[in-house]
Amino acid sequence: MEGLKIESKLPNVGTTIFTVMSALATEYKAINLSQGFPDFQMPEELVRLTCNALQQGFNQYSPMAGWMPLRESIAAKIHDLYGVNVNPDTEITITPGGTYGIYTAFTTVLRASDEVIVFEPAYDSYIPNIEVNGGIAVRIPLEFPTYRINWDEVRARITPRTRMIALNSPHNPTGSILRDDDIEQLRQIVQEYDLLIMSDEVYEHLIYDGEPHRSILRYPDLRERAFVNFSFGKVYHCTGWKMGYCIAPPAFMAEFRKVHQFNCFSCFTPAQVALAEFLKDREAYRGISNFYQQKRDYFAKLMQQTRFKPLPSYGSYFQLYYFDHLSDLSDKDFSIWLTKEHSVACIPVSAFYQEATDNGVVRFCFAKKEETLERAVERLVKV
Ligand code: GLN
């Protein structure tokens, strides 16, 4: 039957590459190093605390902004890590995942034709989030192959309509991170042009080689302009929980909550009760970067047996590899071919560009058990 049609608000958007590649991996029984999620169990203690919360009857709505003891634990953790005070009452909201927090931040701020600076490759939700709110994404490529920001280009692309700048460190998909000189440039630019910041910090603890995470929360002049988004799923190995939080100054957060309260209202209570307790143990988060650095290094060492050539990964779940000396296929076709013919799934980096920029690199997720990485590399050596 020819049903009624609606005019698409996102005419150029298809199904996200993560869903596409994970489905292909399942279909071809491939080892899935595409979508970013761990294949190992989350901390047993967190499982236990969650079961307890369920049994003890914490099963009704939590407050709209989130379970207060959890917000207090987050504030304590931020003080411990970044040496700053965040008010749990007015500056923290628990969200159903990092992506939701990012979406809500854009929805809170953007009006028709407002421009947002987005660096490509960009996590694939940002631009649709901006456009569905009537905003315009001003896309600036990160410099290849360092994937660093060209701040002169940022200055050149600012207009009277520029409202926000979207940042992501550690960066998905490239594993690049913001450095001190980036922060310095950012400070000057947001001040000079009066810009707001959306900072995606879902990989905050996944940063390697002793580098500090330069959270926007550390810098008072940046923090006062920013919505900073975090994820529990990414850092405590429970991406299926879809739990995270947003931190913003009180006046921003009041507006954020106006949007949030009529969208999901509040998040899964048992997980909030459990996380409130779990986060009191500093070891719960202080060991994460070391844990993932070992995974990155283990995967990199195994991959030396293959003909793929690595780009550096300074953070996140991901490492990029050049394949263009191995194949003439586009990165998308190569990823599909690899999944079908060699039973290892990866993500083409061009999927993170609006106008598919193909630099001959693909993204592998190393947030996997050692045996999974070993089995994947046994297959990749044949390429
Ligand atoms: N952030 C994950 C990744 O980059 C995907 C999350 C999702 O599929 N929505 O792989």
Side-chain angles (χ1 to χ4, degrees), residues 11 27 45 53 101 114 119 131 138 144 151 164 216 223 228-229 244 250 252 267 279 286 295 304 307 378-380:
E27 187 183 340
E45 176 64 3
D114 279 350
F119 299 103
E131 291 180 348
V138 174
F144 182 78
W151 291 102
M164 268 184 129
I216 294 301
R223 181 180 156 194
V228 187
N229 294 285
F252 289 20
C267 301
L279 287 187
R286 287 202 168 246
K295 295 221 171 279
Q304 284 173 3
R307 296 199 294 151
E378 274 167 26
R379 297 173 184 192
L380 294 173

Side-chain angles (χ1 to χ4, degrees), residues 71-344:
R71 287 188 272 151
E72 285 166 354
S73 293
I74 291 169
K77 171 180 127 162
I78 286 167
H79 187 266
D80 177 33
L81 289 175
Y82 306 129
V84 295
N85 290 314
V86 173
N87 184 327
D89 188 26
T90 56
E91 296 182 276
I92 305 176
T93 296
I94 308 300
T95 61
T99 303
Y100 173 101
I102 292 163
Y103 179 87
T104 306
F106 285 136
T107 304
T108 302
V109 169
L110 296 179
R111 293 165 197 272
S113 307
D114 279 350
E115 293 177 4
V116 184
I117 291 177
V118 177
F119 299 103
E120 288 190 321
Y123 184 59
D124 74 344
S125 75
Y126 302 163
I127 293 175
N129 284 181
I130 292 163
E131 291 180 348
V132 83
N133 281 297
I136 296 166
V138 174
R139 297 178 285 112
I140 299 182
L142 292 173
E143 289 182 331
F144 182 78
T146 58
Y147 293 110
R148 297 209 50 196
I149 295 171
N150 180 335
W151 291 102
D152 290 334
E153 190 166 357
V154 175
R155 286 177 182 278
R157 301 286 298 278
I158 289 174
T159 77
R161 300 242 30 122
T162 312
R163 185 91 179 101
M164 268 184 129
I165 182 162
L167 296 164
N168 173 211
S169 178
H171 185 254
N172 181 3
T174 68
S176 66
I177 56 173
L178 290 176
R179 309 277 178 174
D180 288 338
D181 49 334
D182 295 309
I183 297 289
E184 262 331 294
Q185 295 275 358
L186 180 66
R187 294 179 115 150
Q188 288 169 21
I189 285 177
V190 295
Q191 204 72 44
E192 189 174 336
Y193 298 98
D194 193 20
L195 305 182
L196 304 182
I197 297 168
M198 189 295 289
S199 184
D200 172 355
E201 303 186 11
V202 299
Y203 297 104
E204 90 183 293
H205 300 309
L206 284 71
I207 186 157
Y208 311 129
D209 310 316
E211 279 294 328
H213 172 52
R214 294 174 180 83
S215 174
I216 294 301
L217 297 176
R218 289 180 190 263
Y219 313 96
D221 52 330
L222 297 178
R223 181 180 156 194
E224 69 177 10
R225 303 172 165 275
F227 293 86
V228 187
N229 294 285
F230 298 93
S231 163
F232 293 117
K234 293 289 188 196
V235 297
Y236 303 119
H237 330 315
C238 50
T239 60
W241 277 21
K242 292 302 299 175
M243 294 282 293
Y245 51 101
C246 181
I247 297 184
F252 289 20
M253 191 43 85
E255 293 303 316
F256 180 99
R257 287 178 185 169
K258 287 185 192 173
V259 178
H260 165 70
Q261 70 182 341
F262 295 127
N263 196 354
C264 92
F265 179 69
S266 71
C267 301
F268 187 60
T269 304
Q272 294 189 64
V273 173
L275 281 162
E277 206 46 45
F278 185 71
L279 287 187
K280 287 184 185 154
D281 178 6
R282 298 167 79 225
E283 294 316 307
Y285 51 87
R286 287 202 168 246
I288 298 172
S289 81
N290 205 14
F291 173 80
Y292 273 109
Q293 181 170 321
Q294 281 174 21
K295 295 221 171 279
R296 179 200 64 173
D297 293 346
Y298 191 65
F299 183 58
K301 188 154 174 278
L302 290 172
M303 284 295 280
Q304 284 173 3
Q305 303 164 52
T306 73
R307 296 199 294 151
F308 288 86
K309 291 199 192 123
L311 283 89
S313 167
Y314 303 100
S316 83
Y317 279 164
F318 309 114
Q319 176 119 28
L320 301 186
Y321 278 88
Y322 290 106
F323 70 89
D324 55 348
H325 51 295
L326 305 176
S327 165
D328 290 333
L329 294 172
S330 69
D331 65 352
K332 187 148 188 255
D333 288 341
F334 180 78
S335 302
I336 294 169
W337 174 82
L338 195 68
T339 309
K340 290 184 178 173
E341 299 298 323
H342 290 275
S343 301
V344 179

